[in-house]
Amino acid sequence: MKMDRRQQQKQDLKALSQSLFQTLDTDEHLTLAYSGEESLFIRVNKTTIRQISEVTQANLSLDFISGRHHTECTFSLSGDVVQDTKQALKIIEQCRLECKSLPEDPFLVLPEAGESSEEDHFGAFAPLEKLADILLKPAASLDLAGLYAAGTLMRASINSKGQFHWFSTDNFYFDYSLYTLSQKAIKSIYAGNEWKDEDYWKNLEQAKNQLKALDKTSKKLSPGKYRVYFAPAAVAEFSMAWSGLSEKALKEGRSPLKQLAEGETKLSPLLSLEEDFNQGLVPRFNEFGEVSPLKISLITQGKLMSTLVNRRTAQEYGIVSNGANGGEGTRSPRMLPGHLNESMILSSIGTGLYVSNLHYLNWSDLQQGRITGMTRYGCFWVENGEIVSPIQDMRFDETLYSFFGSNLEAIGDTVQLIPHTWSYWERSLGGNYVPGILVNDFSFTL
Amino acid sequence: MSQNLLQRLNKIHHKVDWLGLREVKEITRNYIARNGKIEKNTTNIDHGCMVEVLLNGHFAYCGAANMTDEALQKACDRATLLAQHTASWKTFPASLDHRPPSVGTYQTQTPFPLDKASPGEIMSLLINATIKMKVSDKIVNCIAHAMMIETEITLASSTGAHIHQQFSSLAPYLRATAQDGTEIQNRSVSPCHQGGLELLNQAELATEAERIGREAVELLTAEQCPTGVYDVILAPDQLYLQIHESIGHPLELDRILGDERNYAGWSFVQLSDFGHLQYGSSLLNIVFDPTVVGEYASYHFDDAGIPATREYLIKDGLLLRGIGGIDSQKRGNIPGVSSMRAQSWNRPPIDRMANINLEPGNSSFSEMIGSVERGIYMTTNTCWSIDDYRNKFQFGCEYAKLIENGKLTKTIKNPNYRGVTAPFWNNLKMVGDASTFEVWGNTYCGKGEPNQVIRVGHATPPCLFGNVDVFGGA
């Protein structure tokens, strides 16, 4: 999106919000959360275009408080500031009526005056008229499936105490997989803010080379415990463990990290995790307008240092918020690197598995931190420090207190960004910064 | 909602072979109570239009939330440009046959529309349910949630299609968490149906709330689920998800054709399997049935405008037909069903499940229990995972009972089982009769790139399976 159009969006949002704030009575408060995108999606199957779509959409959430009563309403913005203001004013009337019928909210989060911020990241996309050729011609001899997504993402938080936070970024990703004739696959992603043909070609070439390793017959493994190296993309899947850092989840008995929080079990002293906003991939402000510290140490050398606490949880339990979002999830997590150099990965495995990706993880025993899931894409059997063959996909069932705890042997010395590619309702921001990990006695079950 | 979408479409200047508009307005209200207090009251109003064009045998889409004539014209121009620039790379050639000029309507039948109660009245019901759940001091968290969804979808096309469908749905959710020292157990219930406020019955809510509260406490002292190979009876509130994951998804034609390979995955089913593969035992009968009144994904037309009809996917265990809309049917030269559906106006339609139901058999529940010497009866899903070919699965349930010598005996906790799809369904030994048939569903079935969620319905009786690999907690 061009700078002037983004400025226009900001101005429209400021104008709209002022029109709303002017209508508030003395005991009324309003916090607005804005989320918008202009996104182009190209879905690819067999190196052809299966579907192309573009969407321009934005939503405005009105968090309305009247006395001790509270309600929220989100609506689709049309982009016409006059029409949108009219609709928002109607919604405020509706919110007033709802508040009259609802009981008092015991844990109200009132908006606060504070500093405002504006952050814009500009990028450059491949030109639409050549895009199909740019994406597909270099892969014409391959069987490629994937999704190209590109455009501008915008977020804002504005409140009736005068606070205005704005974040926007241009970004793209081409999340794709390549297939052999026998339908074994390698997964890759090329992502960034500025499309460069040469970088894409390099990325594709690397994936092509990895595909060659899949030519051999796949080894069928028996269920049992194996020594495993998980590449960064696989470790990113294990990040579901960090949902347990939510203070509210801990209080409600739905955190897989309860044993860690209560000191019953430790994680490996090799493991450290931070919430790190220095990379600027996501806004530091949350939907309440709160700004998170630049860095929060969550787990240091296996010990829990801090949970994620939002203002509502803080109200309920009489503790201090640290700027977490409504769901108290990590927004910019970074696992700290260790000492395992890439050149030493295979020799460090010795005999075992190299797992590049995982699939469909879920909690099989939340209280014990046990996760089940599948291996996927290029995963290999390694013997005496050398790749022998790909493997047939295996189901695992293992507790995080083992693979992030007593059986964690080493952590890679390089941290890689695995961008979020979710696009349910809207495209996601951010990703996980993770290294690879080497784990002993990892349980495969089927 | 624009009542004159066809007239508005006719105002658009275009040079495409076919033009379609799909306007969607969806209002979702979430009411959440927790531990006797209000937790959250939210409304989401989603409204916009997807413009779809067919040019040079290629479909392209442009969605916008602005419903003015000028905005629709702009979206049409943009979709045309997208089609022009990418048609030479299209996966398959499409024609006007893919989008027939269907005309019709649909409306969820309900005696009590969702807007006939105030937020305060609904919240009061839910707060009361959380109070009923707290049957003991060991109950540490109680949640009661009601999601109410009103949806209007209007389709219009340059060849004369004009369809208007209105849906009303309600999905209550209750969860009780019990704790004793380090032991924590949950019980929940999460039905979902089309209908109105009749689905939020105060007495039923209170009864269910008390039941799950009692059962959560009961689980605190229950024995761990044993490990071994057992006969297993799956209750409908678990079996519906087994059907969803290991029958619904692998039968989706777009998966079989490879569209999903980079995200949700492929399928062990191949096009050549239809008419030949013995998917399950002869007791297995699966229908695609968007005609069931009150089931979550009933409709008259899909988002390509194809009339929806009931079809057998699996009959007497034999695989007959896939879950694929008109585009996949023509690509694969294979019969399918009316199943091209989009999450909302902002996504193109893809092959989705609607109501995928397992037909009742002839066994009463007591006959099934009575036939088992040593087995396990599992109820209410809590964990699900399956591989990208939909073969190796693992499921976990909240609550189970041991079956010993034809009788339900001890309560057991943390029941899990795993298996492989076709052998599992071929071990289907008994199917519950019509008296045991229950309608369930799921609000958030995820699939597609860009990602989409959709509502699906699944109805099933309880069923008995032999030789199931069962295990308990860590």
Side-chain angles (χ1 to χ4, degrees), chain A residues 43 45 48-50 54 71 74 133 143 183 187 248 252 360 376 393 423-424, chain B residues 34 39 41 43 45 78 89 91 245 259-261 263 266 347 385 392 451:
Chain A
R43 188 174 203 198
N45 182 17
T48 60
I49 293 179
R50 171 64 189 90
E54 191 171 81
T71 189
T74 302
D133 284 354
D143 178 2
Q183 304 307 334
K187 179 85 165 174
K248 189 171 183 190
E252 290 184 355
Y360 216 141
R376 193 176 182 187
D393 284 333
S423 48
Y424 292 107
Chain B
R34 180 169 155 260
E39 175 81 355
N41 179 74
T43 303
I45 304 164
R78 187 69 183 167
W89 286 95
T91 301
E245 301 290 4
D259 291 352
E260 281 287 323
R261 287 181 298 171
Y263 182 59
W266 217 328
R347 296 285 182 262
S385 174
K392 294 180 178 179
N451 304 152

mmCIF file of all heavy atoms in Angstrom, chain A residues 43 45 48-50 54 71 74 133 143 183 187 248 252 360 376 393 423-424, chain B residues 34 39 41 43 45 78 89 91 245 259-261 263 266 347 385 392 451:
data_model
loop_
_atom_site.group_PDB
_atom_site.id
_atom_site.type_symbol
_atom_site.label_atom_id
_atom_site.label_comp_id
_atom_site.label_asym_id
_atom_site.label_seq_id
_atom_site.Cartn_x
_atom_site.Cartn_y
_atom_site.Cartn_z
ATOM 1 N N ARG A 43 -3.159 -19.267 -4.838
ATOM 2 C CA ARG A 43 -3.080 -20.656 -4.394
ATOM 3 C C ARG A 43 -2.593 -21.503 -5.564
ATOM 4 O O ARG A 43 -3.154 -21.437 -6.672
ATOM 5 C CB ARG A 43 -4.465 -21.118 -3.956
ATOM 6 C CG ARG A 43 -4.419 -22.463 -3.311
ATOM 7 C CD ARG A 43 -5.745 -22.871 -2.750
ATOM 8 N NE ARG A 43 -5.494 -23.856 -1.712
ATOM 9 C CZ ARG A 43 -6.402 -24.676 -1.250
ATOM 10 N NH1 ARG A 43 -7.628 -24.631 -1.706
ATOM 11 N NH2 ARG A 43 -6.105 -25.557 -0.320
ATOM 12 N N ASN A 45 -1.339 -25.275 -7.153
ATOM 13 C CA ASN A 45 -1.309 -26.740 -7.094
ATOM 14 C C ASN A 45 -0.705 -27.240 -8.405
ATOM 15 O O ASN A 45 -1.086 -26.793 -9.481
ATOM 16 C CB ASN A 45 -2.722 -27.310 -6.901
ATOM 17 C CG ASN A 45 -2.713 -28.831 -6.785
ATOM 18 O OD1 ASN A 45 -1.667 -29.440 -6.541
ATOM 19 N ND2 ASN A 45 -3.879 -29.434 -6.950
ATOM 20 N N THR A 48 0.506 -24.820 -11.027
ATOM 21 C CA THR A 48 -0.484 -24.034 -11.766
ATOM 22 C C THR A 48 -1.308 -23.254 -10.746
ATOM 23 O O THR A 48 -1.277 -23.569 -9.550
ATOM 24 C CB THR A 48 -1.444 -24.939 -12.570
ATOM 25 O OG1 THR A 48 -2.121 -25.808 -11.653
ATOM 26 C CG2 THR A 48 -0.696 -25.767 -13.607
ATOM 27 N N ILE A 49 -2.039 -22.270 -11.238
ATOM 28 C CA ILE A 49 -2.801 -21.427 -10.302
ATOM 29 C C ILE A 49 -4.197 -21.998 -10.108
ATOM 30 O O ILE A 49 -5.009 -22.043 -11.027
ATOM 31 C CB ILE A 49 -2.829 -19.975 -10.786
ATOM 32 C CG1 ILE A 49 -1.401 -19.417 -10.702
ATOM 33 C CG2 ILE A 49 -3.803 -19.146 -9.936
ATOM 34 C CD1 ILE A 49 -1.243 -18.003 -11.153
ATOM 35 N N ARG A 50 -4.448 -22.452 -8.882
ATOM 36 C CA ARG A 50 -5.735 -23.048 -8.545
ATOM 37 C C ARG A 50 -6.774 -21.964 -8.247
ATOM 38 O O ARG A 50 -7.898 -22.052 -8.683
ATOM 39 C CB ARG A 50 -5.552 -23.983 -7.329
ATOM 40 C CG ARG A 50 -6.812 -24.515 -6.726
ATOM 41 C CD ARG A 50 -7.581 -25.417 -7.681
ATOM 42 N NE ARG A 50 -8.883 -25.759 -7.157
ATOM 43 C CZ ARG A 50 -9.992 -25.055 -7.360
ATOM 44 N NH1 ARG A 50 -9.959 -23.955 -8.093
ATOM 45 N NH2 ARG A 50 -11.140 -25.443 -6.847
ATOM 46 N N GLU A 54 -8.218 -11.522 -4.068
ATOM 47 C CA GLU A 54 -7.704 -10.326 -3.384
ATOM 48 C C GLU A 54 -8.798 -9.842 -2.445
ATOM 49 O O GLU A 54 -9.978 -9.895 -2.802
ATOM 50 C CB GLU A 54 -7.369 -9.249 -4.406
ATOM 51 C CG GLU A 54 -6.599 -8.100 -3.824
ATOM 52 C CD GLU A 54 -6.091 -7.168 -4.916
ATOM 53 O OE1 GLU A 54 -6.886 -6.328 -5.381
ATOM 54 O OE2 GLU A 54 -4.920 -7.283 -5.305
ATOM 55 N N THR A 71 -19.621 -3.987 27.304
ATOM 56 C CA THR A 71 -19.930 -4.838 26.165
ATOM 57 C C THR A 71 -18.983 -4.504 25.009
ATOM 58 O O THR A 71 -18.303 -3.471 25.039
ATOM 59 C CB THR A 71 -21.411 -4.687 25.743
ATOM 60 O OG1 THR A 71 -21.715 -5.682 24.777
ATOM 61 C CG2 THR A 71 -21.689 -3.308 25.158
ATOM 62 N N THR A 74 -17.841 -5.598 17.239
ATOM 63 C CA THR A 74 -16.906 -5.445 16.123
ATOM 64 C C THR A 74 -17.711 -5.405 14.831
ATOM 65 O O THR A 74 -18.665 -6.174 14.681
ATOM 66 C CB THR A 74 -15.940 -6.648 16.082
ATOM 67 O OG1 THR A 74 -15.262 -6.726 17.330
ATOM 68 C CG2 THR A 74 -14.927 -6.519 14.963
ATOM 69 N N ASP A 133 4.384 -15.562 -13.642
ATOM 70 C CA ASP A 133 5.640 -16.025 -14.267
ATOM 71 C C ASP A 133 6.776 -16.055 -13.244
ATOM 72 O O ASP A 133 7.570 -16.989 -13.213
ATOM 73 C CB ASP A 133 6.038 -15.098 -15.422
ATOM 74 C CG ASP A 133 5.183 -15.341 -16.654
ATOM 75 O OD1 ASP A 133 4.380 -16.290 -16.635
ATOM 76 O OD2 ASP A 133 5.321 -14.567 -17.627
ATOM 77 N N ASP A 143 6.724 -30.288 -9.296
ATOM 78 C CA ASP A 143 5.361 -30.357 -8.783
ATOM 79 C C ASP A 143 5.338 -29.530 -7.502
ATOM 80 O O ASP A 143 5.831 -29.961 -6.460
ATOM 81 C CB ASP A 143 4.992 -31.825 -8.504
ATOM 82 C CG ASP A 143 3.582 -31.958 -7.923
ATOM 83 O OD1 ASP A 143 2.894 -30.930 -7.771
ATOM 84 O OD2 ASP A 143 3.188 -33.105 -7.621
ATOM 85 N N GLN A 183 5.442 -38.780 -4.439
ATOM 86 C CA GLN A 183 4.676 -37.915 -3.541
ATOM 87 C C GLN A 183 5.301 -37.727 -2.167
ATOM 88 O O GLN A 183 4.596 -37.530 -1.180
ATOM 89 C CB GLN A 183 3.223 -38.407 -3.407
ATOM 90 C CG GLN A 183 2.493 -38.538 -4.721
ATOM 91 C CD GLN A 183 2.541 -37.267 -5.554
ATOM 92 O OE1 GLN A 183 2.677 -36.166 -5.033
ATOM 93 N NE2 GLN A 183 2.462 -37.395 -6.875
ATOM 94 N N LYS A 187 9.223 -28.985 2.408
ATOM 95 C CA LYS A 187 8.501 -27.740 2.679
ATOM 96 C C LYS A 187 9.481 -26.575 2.725
ATOM 97 O O LYS A 187 10.600 -26.720 3.238
ATOM 98 C CB LYS A 187 7.824 -27.876 4.044
ATOM 99 C CG LYS A 187 7.055 -26.667 4.509
ATOM 100 C CD LYS A 187 5.674 -26.674 3.957
ATOM 101 C CE LYS A 187 4.768 -25.697 4.686
ATOM 102 N NZ LYS A 187 3.460 -25.622 4.049
ATOM 103 N N LYS A 248 -3.908 -16.612 33.371
ATOM 104 C CA LYS A 248 -5.290 -17.034 33.574
ATOM 105 C C LYS A 248 -5.423 -18.542 33.371
ATOM 106 O O LYS A 248 -6.139 -19.219 34.124
ATOM 107 C CB LYS A 248 -6.217 -16.287 32.605
ATOM 108 C CG LYS A 248 -7.664 -16.521 32.922
ATOM 109 C CD LYS A 248 -8.564 -15.625 32.112
ATOM 110 C CE LYS A 248 -10.004 -15.856 32.526
ATOM 111 N NZ LYS A 248 -10.942 -15.205 31.640
ATOM 112 N N GLU A 252 -6.859 -21.156 36.057
ATOM 113 C CA GLU A 252 -8.072 -21.930 35.757
ATOM 114 C C GLU A 252 -7.793 -23.420 35.616
ATOM 115 O O GLU A 252 -8.686 -24.191 35.289
ATOM 116 C CB GLU A 252 -8.718 -21.417 34.467
ATOM 117 C CG GLU A 252 -9.332 -20.053 34.600
ATOM 118 C CD GLU A 252 -10.039 -19.618 33.326
ATOM 119 O OE1 GLU A 252 -9.975 -20.340 32.310
ATOM 120 O OE2 GLU A 252 -10.656 -18.542 33.351
ATOM 121 N N TYR A 360 -0.231 -31.315 12.876
ATOM 122 C CA TYR A 360 -1.472 -31.565 13.616
ATOM 123 C C TYR A 360 -1.198 -31.961 15.063
ATOM 124 O O TYR A 360 -1.548 -33.051 15.515
ATOM 125 C CB TYR A 360 -2.278 -32.667 12.932
ATOM 126 C CG TYR A 360 -3.787 -32.449 12.998
ATOM 127 C CD1 TYR A 360 -4.603 -32.747 11.912
ATOM 128 C CD2 TYR A 360 -4.388 -31.954 14.152
ATOM 129 C CE1 TYR A 360 -5.977 -32.550 11.958
ATOM 130 C CE2 TYR A 360 -5.750 -31.757 14.201
ATOM 131 C CZ TYR A 360 -6.539 -32.059 13.102
ATOM 132 O OH TYR A 360 -7.897 -31.865 13.143
ATOM 133 N N ARG A 376 6.152 -34.837 9.334
ATOM 134 C CA ARG A 376 5.655 -34.485 7.993
ATOM 135 C C ARG A 376 6.803 -33.946 7.138
ATOM 136 O O ARG A 376 7.778 -33.427 7.672
ATOM 137 C CB ARG A 376 4.542 -33.440 8.113
ATOM 138 C CG ARG A 376 3.765 -33.251 6.815
ATOM 139 C CD ARG A 376 2.625 -32.285 6.993
ATOM 140 N NE ARG A 376 1.879 -32.152 5.748
ATOM 141 C CZ ARG A 376 0.907 -31.283 5.532
ATOM 142 N NH1 ARG A 376 0.538 -30.473 6.490
ATOM 143 N NH2 ARG A 376 0.283 -31.213 4.369
ATOM 144 N N ASP A 393 6.027 -41.526 7.659
ATOM 145 C CA ASP A 393 5.599 -40.632 8.749
ATOM 146 C C ASP A 393 5.208 -41.415 9.990
ATOM 147 O O ASP A 393 4.612 -42.486 9.910
ATOM 148 C CB ASP A 393 4.421 -39.764 8.294
ATOM 149 C CG ASP A 393 4.900 -38.644 7.394
ATOM 150 O OD1 ASP A 393 6.069 -38.243 7.534
ATOM 151 O OD2 ASP A 393 4.112 -38.180 6.550
ATOM 152 N N SER A 423 -4.158 -17.555 8.138
ATOM 153 C CA SER A 423 -4.966 -16.489 7.527
ATOM 154 C C SER A 423 -6.449 -16.732 7.765
ATOM 155 O O SER A 423 -7.269 -16.412 6.915
ATOM 156 C CB SER A 423 -4.651 -16.386 6.031
ATOM 157 O OG SER A 423 -4.686 -17.664 5.418
ATOM 158 N N TYR A 424 -6.781 -17.379 8.896
ATOM 159 C CA TYR A 424 -8.192 -17.489 9.262
ATOM 160 C C TYR A 424 -8.723 -16.082 9.542
ATOM 161 O O TYR A 424 -8.123 -15.332 10.294
ATOM 162 C CB TYR A 424 -8.366 -18.362 10.511
ATOM 163 C CG TYR A 424 -8.033 -19.816 10.257
ATOM 164 C CD1 TYR A 424 -6.872 -20.385 10.759
ATOM 165 C CD2 TYR A 424 -8.872 -20.612 9.484
ATOM 166 C CE1 TYR A 424 -6.564 -21.720 10.521
ATOM 167 C CE2 TYR A 424 -8.565 -21.947 9.235
ATOM 168 C CZ TYR A 424 -7.421 -22.489 9.756
ATOM 169 O OH TYR A 424 -7.118 -23.805 9.506
ATOM 170 N N ARG B 34 -18.742 -16.876 33.745
ATOM 171 C CA ARG B 34 -17.711 -17.687 34.402
ATOM 172 C C ARG B 34 -17.845 -17.537 35.911
ATOM 173 O O ARG B 34 -17.917 -16.406 36.405
ATOM 174 C CB ARG B 34 -16.339 -17.201 33.923
ATOM 175 C CG ARG B 34 -15.176 -17.943 34.502
ATOM 176 C CD ARG B 34 -13.892 -17.560 33.752
ATOM 177 N NE ARG B 34 -12.764 -17.772 34.610
ATOM 178 C CZ ARG B 34 -12.135 -16.807 35.285
ATOM 179 N NH1 ARG B 34 -12.516 -15.565 35.172
ATOM 180 N NH2 ARG B 34 -11.120 -17.101 36.060
ATOM 181 N N GLU B 39 -18.538 -12.788 32.070
ATOM 182 C CA GLU B 39 -17.144 -12.790 31.618
ATOM 183 C C GLU B 39 -17.007 -11.905 30.374
ATOM 184 O O GLU B 39 -16.116 -11.087 30.287
ATOM 185 C CB GLU B 39 -16.702 -14.226 31.301
ATOM 186 C CG GLU B 39 -15.303 -14.358 30.716
ATOM 187 C CD GLU B 39 -14.218 -14.300 31.784
ATOM 188 O OE1 GLU B 39 -14.546 -14.061 32.958
ATOM 189 O OE2 GLU B 39 -13.031 -14.476 31.430
ATOM 190 N N ASN B 41 -19.372 -10.199 26.758
ATOM 191 C CA ASN B 41 -20.536 -10.085 25.889
ATOM 192 C C ASN B 41 -20.056 -9.400 24.616
ATOM 193 O O ASN B 41 -19.661 -8.241 24.649
ATOM 194 C CB ASN B 41 -21.610 -9.239 26.591
ATOM 195 C CG ASN B 41 -22.827 -9.062 25.727
ATOM 196 O OD1 ASN B 41 -23.612 -9.985 25.560
ATOM 197 N ND2 ASN B 41 -22.987 -7.879 25.151
ATOM 198 N N THR B 43 -20.379 -8.836 20.173
ATOM 199 C CA THR B 43 -21.117 -8.984 18.909
ATOM 200 C C THR B 43 -20.143 -8.717 17.772
ATOM 201 O O THR B 43 -19.314 -7.807 17.869
ATOM 202 C CB THR B 43 -22.272 -7.965 18.821
ATOM 203 O OG1 THR B 43 -23.118 -8.158 19.946
ATOM 204 C CG2 THR B 43 -23.079 -8.142 17.553
ATOM 205 N N ILE B 45 -20.179 -8.096 13.613
ATOM 206 C CA ILE B 45 -21.002 -7.915 12.411
ATOM 207 C C ILE B 45 -20.066 -7.923 11.205
ATOM 208 O O ILE B 45 -19.274 -7.003 11.000
ATOM 209 C CB ILE B 45 -21.767 -6.567 12.460
ATOM 210 C CG1 ILE B 45 -22.602 -6.500 13.744
ATOM 211 C CG2 ILE B 45 -22.644 -6.408 11.228
ATOM 212 C CD1 ILE B 45 -23.078 -5.106 14.084
ATOM 213 N N ARG B 78 -10.973 -5.257 -10.765
ATOM 214 C CA ARG B 78 -9.761 -5.844 -10.177
ATOM 215 C C ARG B 78 -9.744 -7.368 -10.392
ATOM 216 O O ARG B 78 -8.720 -7.939 -10.753
ATOM 217 C CB ARG B 78 -9.722 -5.515 -8.683
ATOM 218 C CG ARG B 78 -8.457 -5.910 -7.985
ATOM 219 C CD ARG B 78 -7.279 -5.069 -8.415
ATOM 220 N NE ARG B 78 -6.062 -5.549 -7.756
ATOM 221 C CZ ARG B 78 -4.842 -5.202 -8.095
ATOM 222 N NH1 ARG B 78 -4.628 -4.371 -9.104
ATOM 223 N NH2 ARG B 78 -3.797 -5.681 -7.443
ATOM 224 N N TRP B 89 -1.895 -19.699 -16.527
ATOM 225 C CA TRP B 89 -1.336 -20.669 -15.563
ATOM 226 C C TRP B 89 -2.436 -21.439 -14.834
ATOM 227 O O TRP B 89 -2.192 -22.037 -13.783
ATOM 228 C CB TRP B 89 -0.472 -19.939 -14.528
ATOM 229 C CG TRP B 89 0.855 -19.477 -15.050
ATOM 230 C CD1 TRP B 89 1.158 -18.249 -15.537
ATOM 231 C CD2 TRP B 89 2.058 -20.251 -15.130
ATOM 232 N NE1 TRP B 89 2.478 -18.200 -15.912
ATOM 233 C CE2 TRP B 89 3.064 -19.411 -15.677
ATOM 234 C CE3 TRP B 89 2.417 -21.555 -14.804
ATOM 235 C CZ2 TRP B 89 4.371 -19.844 -15.887
ATOM 236 C CZ3 TRP B 89 3.711 -21.986 -15.012
ATOM 237 C CH2 TRP B 89 4.679 -21.139 -15.559
ATOM 238 N N THR B 91 -5.147 -24.032 -13.308
ATOM 239 C CA THR B 91 -5.067 -25.462 -13.000
ATOM 240 C C THR B 91 -5.981 -26.267 -13.912
ATOM 241 O O THR B 91 -5.648 -27.370 -14.331
ATOM 242 C CB THR B 91 -5.461 -25.714 -11.530
ATOM 243 O OG1 THR B 91 -4.569 -24.983 -10.687
ATOM 244 C CG2 THR B 91 -5.371 -27.189 -11.155
ATOM 245 N N GLU B 245 -12.867 -36.476 10.959
ATOM 246 C CA GLU B 245 -11.434 -36.506 10.635
ATOM 247 C C GLU B 245 -11.051 -37.677 9.729
ATOM 248 O O GLU B 245 -10.160 -37.545 8.890
ATOM 249 C CB GLU B 245 -10.604 -36.588 11.930
ATOM 250 C CG GLU B 245 -10.811 -35.435 12.913
ATOM 251 C CD GLU B 245 -10.239 -34.112 12.435
ATOM 252 O OE1 GLU B 245 -9.728 -34.039 11.308
ATOM 253 O OE2 GLU B 245 -10.326 -33.124 13.194
ATOM 254 N N ASP B 259 -5.039 -30.058 -3.946
ATOM 255 C CA ASP B 259 -5.080 -28.625 -3.616
ATOM 256 C C ASP B 259 -4.605 -28.332 -2.207
ATOM 257 O O ASP B 259 -4.068 -27.253 -1.939
ATOM 258 C CB ASP B 259 -6.522 -28.094 -3.727
ATOM 259 C CG ASP B 259 -7.031 -28.055 -5.153
ATOM 260 O OD1 ASP B 259 -6.237 -28.293 -6.075
ATOM 261 O OD2 ASP B 259 -8.240 -27.800 -5.345
ATOM 262 N N GLU B 260 -4.837 -29.271 -1.291
ATOM 263 C CA GLU B 260 -4.567 -29.033 0.134
ATOM 264 C C GLU B 260 -3.187 -29.532 0.563
ATOM 265 O O GLU B 260 -2.885 -29.538 1.757
ATOM 266 C CB GLU B 260 -5.626 -29.737 0.983
ATOM 267 C CG GLU B 260 -6.945 -29.006 1.075
ATOM 268 C CD GLU B 260 -6.886 -27.768 1.949
ATOM 269 O OE1 GLU B 260 -6.191 -27.782 2.964
ATOM 270 O OE2 GLU B 260 -7.520 -26.774 1.585
ATOM 271 N N ARG B 261 -2.395 -30.019 -0.386
ATOM 272 C CA ARG B 261 -1.152 -30.695 0.001
ATOM 273 C C ARG B 261 -0.240 -29.813 0.831
ATOM 274 O O ARG B 261 0.493 -30.298 1.687
ATOM 275 C CB ARG B 261 -0.392 -31.161 -1.247
ATOM 276 C CG ARG B 261 -1.023 -32.336 -1.938
ATOM 277 C CD ARG B 261 -0.201 -32.743 -3.129
ATOM 278 N NE ARG B 261 -0.125 -31.689 -4.131
ATOM 279 C CZ ARG B 261 0.668 -31.724 -5.184
ATOM 280 N NH1 ARG B 261 1.487 -32.750 -5.362
ATOM 281 N NH2 ARG B 261 0.671 -30.736 -6.068
ATOM 282 N N TYR B 263 -1.063 -27.554 2.985
ATOM 283 C CA TYR B 263 -1.599 -27.131 4.289
ATOM 284 C C TYR B 263 -2.217 -28.313 5.034
ATOM 285 O O TYR B 263 -1.533 -29.019 5.755
ATOM 286 C CB TYR B 263 -2.600 -25.982 4.111
ATOM 287 C CG TYR B 263 -3.141 -25.475 5.410
ATOM 288 C CD1 TYR B 263 -2.277 -24.962 6.379
ATOM 289 C CD2 TYR B 263 -4.496 -25.520 5.707
ATOM 290 C CE1 TYR B 263 -2.755 -24.522 7.604
ATOM 291 C CE2 TYR B 263 -4.987 -25.073 6.922
ATOM 292 C CZ TYR B 263 -4.107 -24.577 7.867
ATOM 293 O OH TYR B 263 -4.590 -24.143 9.071
ATOM 294 N N TRP B 266 -3.048 -34.332 2.160
ATOM 295 C CA TRP B 266 -3.589 -35.071 1.029
ATOM 296 C C TRP B 266 -4.614 -36.063 1.556
ATOM 297 O O TRP B 266 -5.258 -35.828 2.571
ATOM 298 C CB TRP B 266 -2.410 -35.796 0.341
ATOM 299 C CG TRP B 266 -2.514 -35.857 -1.142
ATOM 300 C CD1 TRP B 266 -3.672 -35.927 -1.870
ATOM 301 C CD2 TRP B 266 -1.436 -35.858 -2.065
ATOM 302 N NE1 TRP B 266 -3.351 -35.974 -3.197
ATOM 303 C CE2 TRP B 266 -2.008 -35.938 -3.349
ATOM 304 C CE3 TRP B 266 -0.051 -35.813 -1.938
ATOM 305 C CZ2 TRP B 266 -1.222 -35.975 -4.503
ATOM 306 C CZ3 TRP B 266 0.718 -35.854 -3.079
ATOM 307 C CH2 TRP B 266 0.152 -35.925 -4.344
ATOM 308 N N ARG B 347 -13.539 -14.978 1.225
ATOM 309 C CA ARG B 347 -12.787 -16.135 0.754
ATOM 310 C C ARG B 347 -13.507 -16.800 -0.416
ATOM 311 O O ARG B 347 -14.744 -16.837 -0.429
ATOM 312 C CB ARG B 347 -12.620 -17.174 1.877
ATOM 313 C CG ARG B 347 -11.791 -16.705 3.075
ATOM 314 C CD ARG B 347 -10.314 -16.688 2.721
ATOM 315 N NE ARG B 347 -9.498 -16.288 3.855
ATOM 316 C CZ ARG B 347 -9.020 -15.064 4.071
ATOM 317 N NH1 ARG B 347 -9.315 -14.085 3.224
ATOM 318 N NH2 ARG B 347 -8.261 -14.809 5.115
ATOM 319 N N SER B 385 -6.033 -35.775 16.556
ATOM 320 C CA SER B 385 -4.862 -35.548 15.702
ATOM 321 C C SER B 385 -4.830 -36.660 14.664
ATOM 322 O O SER B 385 -5.109 -37.815 14.983
ATOM 323 C CB SER B 385 -3.580 -35.571 16.551
ATOM 324 O OG SER B 385 -2.443 -35.500 15.719
ATOM 325 N N LYS B 392 -3.124 -42.332 10.175
ATOM 326 C CA LYS B 392 -2.810 -42.609 11.574
ATOM 327 C C LYS B 392 -3.440 -41.546 12.478
ATOM 328 O O LYS B 392 -3.045 -40.383 12.435
ATOM 329 C CB LYS B 392 -1.296 -42.588 11.778
ATOM 330 C CG LYS B 392 -0.548 -43.703 11.049
ATOM 331 C CD LYS B 392 0.944 -43.592 11.318
ATOM 332 C CE LYS B 392 1.720 -44.709 10.648
ATOM 333 N NZ LYS B 392 3.167 -44.602 10.887
ATOM 334 N N ASN B 451 -6.549 -19.589 4.715
ATOM 335 C CA ASN B 451 -7.283 -20.425 5.655
ATOM 336 C C ASN B 451 -8.755 -20.002 5.765
ATOM 337 O O ASN B 451 -9.086 -18.827 5.651
ATOM 338 C CB ASN B 451 -6.671 -20.341 7.046
ATOM 339 C CG ASN B 451 -5.203 -20.705 7.085
ATOM 340 O OD1 ASN B 451 -4.469 -20.234 7.943
ATOM 341 N ND2 ASN B 451 -4.752 -21.562 6.175
#
